[in-house]
Structure formats: structure tokens, C-alpha cells
Amino acid sequence: MERNEIMVIYGEDILAMTKKICEEAKLAERIPAGAKIGLKPNLVVAARPETGATTHAEILEGCIQYLQEHGQKDITIIEGSWVGDQTSRAFKVVGYDKLSRKYNVSLFDTKYDKYERRSYGGVTMEISKTALDLDFLISMPVLKGHCQTIVTGALKNMKGILSDREKRHFHSMGLHKPIAYLNKIYPAHFILGDGICGDLDFEEGGNPVQMNRIFCGLDPVLVDTYICQTMGYEPTDIPYIRIANEIGVGSIDLKPENIIELNKDTSKVKPTSSRKVARLAKNVREKDACSACYANLIQACARLDDRGLLGWLNKTPICIGQGYRGESGTNPGIGNCTRAFDTHCAGCPPKTPEILAYLEEYISRG
Ligand code: SF4
């Protein structure tokens, strides 16, 4: 995998998917022998991954197994939850304490560390000394929304290596510039993203969207661009991604041909526990849809909702799923399975921006 590429794998066997994508990305070849390796998940709060807030333990487990099978021994799970929650509680709730014992890896809470002050562009920040002492940092963000910064991903995940005092300071500076600058000072070496069921719009979870994917990349700006696209945003809509691009942390130039999909998603949509997702799906007529396809449609519906257009679909519900193969219809259809409809959005699965553009154009025709 090159720096201008993103790799994606779909499915439900999280541990096996993680090992496969690490293998395909040749992660082991990028890490010096005997390196001090840090795994930096997102444990913003002490909440189970099913809520859409935190990184699945199976992703860490798959990565640890992979690294140990490739001879790496010095592995630490490093994180500091947000101000107001205890990282130690989060380690237990998400099951990392069991991983630590099973695989003999350390758990490190950055809230109780020494910090070093580092600066970029006139902004000075306190960064965990343990994080700075690592040879190789693997960031494991969750693909999800955020009430202040719209999305959160690879760039924002690095906030967990700050002191609590610095986290507060970041908020007082408006978050965007310091997040971009932090990544200029200390970019992760590899990003392994959890896109299994991240939240629609809150970093603390509550409205998970089943997306059934894990993705990886070498450039945090490119990874966040992929996250934006998956959620139906432009990367330039998000100031910290725009700034990170401008100061050379990475690039927002993600070309469709540089998204390497290792497989097709064949998992089926499951009932949602989220009232918001259920509301967005009210006008979706799903018959045996693959979950990645359905998730892209839900993200597109969320963006239509932002623009006040969702209600328009009361008139003509959207059809999606393999159950529509060969059927004709006059409703808007999503995916190649609805290609016999009068109109449909092509793709298998079509991507969120494609679905959004199709539905907006469909709506504009009245
Ligand atoms: S177009 Fe049909 S087969 Fe392809 S991802 Fe969507 S539901 Fe699945």
C-alpha cells in the first residue's frame, strides 16, 4: 500500500478482517524489529463499541496477534479518555484489560504520565512522554460523527495522547487548528480504522450505523478524507482536515482508483437500536440489502436530513437490496440490484457521495 492509497475490508468477523488487512497492507514490513509499538484506540468514554463510540477489542486483538506472529514483543495500548471519564474504567468496559492479560501487552493511561511541551506554528502543547518515546504508533480511530467537528477520525484521535489540561486548552482554541498542528508535531505511523458501527453524529455514541468495514492508510489526512466521503461530507467542510492538508500533514486528494477494496460486503442489514437511524430509514424499502450498501444510503439520508430534503422522500420511498433484482419500479433505486428500475444509482455498493448526488438530482426533478 502506498501513501496515496486507502485499503478497505468488509465483513463481520472483525478479528479475521483485521489480520487480513494488516497482512495485505504489509504492516509488519513497515515496523523496525524490536520497536516499541503503541496501539492508540478511541476510548473517549467508557462505553461498549456497539454504541458507536469506541474501538472494538477484536481489532486490537487481531492487530496484536498479527504483530506477535511477526515477532514484535513490545506492544502497549495507550489512551487517555476525555476529561471527565476514567481511562481505566474504559479499558475494563471495552475489554482491553482481558487483552492485556491474554497477550501480555501493557495498558497505559496517558492521564497519569509525564508530558513534554512541543510547538508548531506558535502553538505549544503538552504531549504524553510515553507516546513520544514510542518507535511506531498505530492509531485506531472510529469512523463516526462529532457534535463540534462534524466528523472524527485519524487526526482527532491523536488528542488522546495529550494531558487533560491540554485537552481543555484545545477546546479553548476552537479544536481545529490545534488538532491539525498536533498531527504536524506527531503523526501516527499507520492508521487502522474501525468502521464497524460508528456513531452518526456524536463521539460518545448512541446512534450506531452498522457499516461493517475496517480500513487502513499511512496518511491521516487521506484517511479522514475517506471518512468524510463515507459520511457524505467534503473534507474541505471540516476545518481541521483543511488545515492539516494546507500545512502538509497529508493530502485530501483521494482518487477513487486509490481506494483498494479487498472484498465485497455480503453481510445483511440488522435491525437498528437507534431511533435516529430508524427515522432516517423510514422511507427506505430494504429487501436483502448488503449492510455496506445500506450504511452508505443511511449516511446519504443523514446529509439529506441536514439539508431539509429528507421529508421529500415521503412521496417516493427509496428501494435497496438484492430482493429487487430483476424487478422493475418507478421509485428511486440504490445499487445495481435495482438496475431494472426506471432510475437507479449504479454501483455495488454505490458510495455515499454517489447516492447523495443521485438523490439530490432525483429530488430536484420534483
Ligand atoms: S447493489 Fe445489491 S449486491 Fe451490491 S452491495 Fe448493494 S445490495 Fe449488495
Side-chain angles (χ1 to χ4, degrees):
M1 191 179 59
E2 302 296 328
R3 193 168 166 84
N4 64 351
E5 292 174 329
I6 299 290
M7 195 172 273
V8 187
I9 189 165
Y10 298 100
E12 294 180 289
D13 186 342
I14 302 173
L15 193 143
M17 287 157 65
T18 304
K19 291 182 79 171
K20 174 78 176 161
I21 200 168
C22 289
E23 221 35 276
E24 292 292 330
K26 299 189 176 10
L27 172 59
E29 292 176 21
R30 303 173 191 279
I31 308 176
K36 269 184 198 300
I37 302 170
L39 307 183
K40 162 65 184 80
N42 184 326
L43 288 187
V44 60
V45 287
R48 296 282 308 154
E50 299 78 41
T51 65
T54 48
T55 310
H56 284 76
E58 294 92 331
I59 295 186
L60 281 89
E61 184 166 14
C63 190
I64 292 166
Q65 282 189 12
Y66 168 84
L67 292 170
Q68 291 186 341
E69 284 163 12
H70 286 79
Q72 296 291 357
K73 294 193 173 65
D74 190 348
I75 303 170
T76 300
I77 299 171
I78 181 167
E79 172 61 317
S81 297
W82 70 4
V83 177
D85 214 331
Q86 293 174 356
T87 319
S88 54
R89 200 163 77 87
F91 282 149
K92 284 201 187 84
V93 168
V94 185
Y96 296 177
D97 56 336
K98 292 195 188 97
L99 285 184
S100 167
R101 290 192 292 275
K102 184 172 174 187
Y103 294 99
N104 194 26
V105 300
S106 319
L107 293 177
F108 189 82
D109 181 353
T110 57
K111 285 178 190 275
Y112 301 100
D113 202 4
K114 295 197 172 85
Y115 305 100
E116 288 187 6
R117 291 169 69 76
R118 297 289 170 95
S119 304
Y120 176 78
V123 176
T124 301
M125 54 190 79
E126 290 180 345
I127 300 178
S128 150
K129 180 162 178 358
T130 303
L132 290 168
D133 286 346
L134 294 167
D135 299 311
F136 198 91
L137 181 69
I138 301 174
S139 174
M140 300 170 146
V142 177
L143 185 170
K144 60 181 174 177
H146 188 277
C147 60
Q148 291 163 293
T149 59
I150 305 178
V151 303
T152 169
L155 293 163
K156 192 166 169 305
N157 193 39
M158 295 299 283
K159 253 185 87 204
I161 64 167
L162 301 171
S163 67
D164 270 6
R165 179 167 60 180
E166 194 58 59
K167 286 181 194 136
R168 285 191 209 98
H169 185 213
F170 265 41
H171 282 271
S172 74
M173 289 188 282
L175 281 177
H176 291 282
K177 188 160 93 169
I179 288 172
Y181 285 17
L182 165 61
N183 282 272
K184 186 72 179 176
I185 293 168
Y186 189 169
H189 300 91
F190 187 83
I191 300 111
L192 187 56
D194 181 343
I196 300 298
C197 62
D199 196 87
L200 259 182
D201 32 30
F202 290 105
E203 68 171 335
E204 63 267 42
N207 288 303
V209 185
Q210 181 199 349
M211 301 197 79
N212 285 1
R213 67 193 73 184
I214 295 171
F215 49 95
C216 68
L218 302 169
D219 172 350
V221 180
L222 203 73
V223 169
D224 280 2
T225 299
Y226 170 75
I227 290 174
C228 284
Q229 289 183 356
T230 304
M231 297 185 74
Y233 295 109
E234 291 293 330
T236 46
D237 292 340
I238 318 296
Y240 70 80
I241 301 177
R242 203 173 56 231
I243 298 167
N245 177 62
E246 285 165 5
I247 63 174
V249 176
S251 168
I252 58 171
D253 186 16
L254 176 57
K255 297 193 165 43
E257 64 269 26
N258 288 340
I259 301 176
I260 305 162
E261 293 182 315
L262 296 179
N263 61 352
K264 288 273 177 204
D265 180 34
T266 54
S267 60
K268 292 289 176 294
V269 176
K270 293 188 187 125
T272 178
S273 58
S274 158
R275 270 191 289 176
K276 175 152 188 195
V277 174
R279 182 177 68 77
L280 293 170
K282 190 171 133 238
N283 293 310
V284 174
R285 301 290 175 263
E286 178 266 330
K287 282 202 280 184
D288 296 331
C290 304
S291 52
C293 200
Y294 188 77
N296 292 350
L297 172 58
I298 293 300
Q299 296 285 1
C301 287
R303 301 294 76 76
L304 286 182
D305 195 30
D306 296 342
R307 295 166 202 181
L309 295 172
L310 191 67
W312 195 93
L313 295 167
N314 290 332
K315 292 191 257 176
T316 46
I318 313 164
C319 297
I320 183 171
Q322 298 179 47
Y324 289 103
R325 275 189 186 144
E327 284 188 21
S328 55
T330 54
N331 290 34
I334 302 301
N336 290 349
C337 290
T338 58
R339 58 157 54 104
F341 279 36
D342 290 354
T343 165
H344 79 291
C345 176
C348 183
K351 299 196 165 31
T352 305
E354 294 161 355
I355 298 174
L356 190 54
Y358 164 76
L359 289 174
E360 285 187 320
E361 203 270 329
Y362 186 92
I363 290 169
S364 73
R365 280 191 264 133

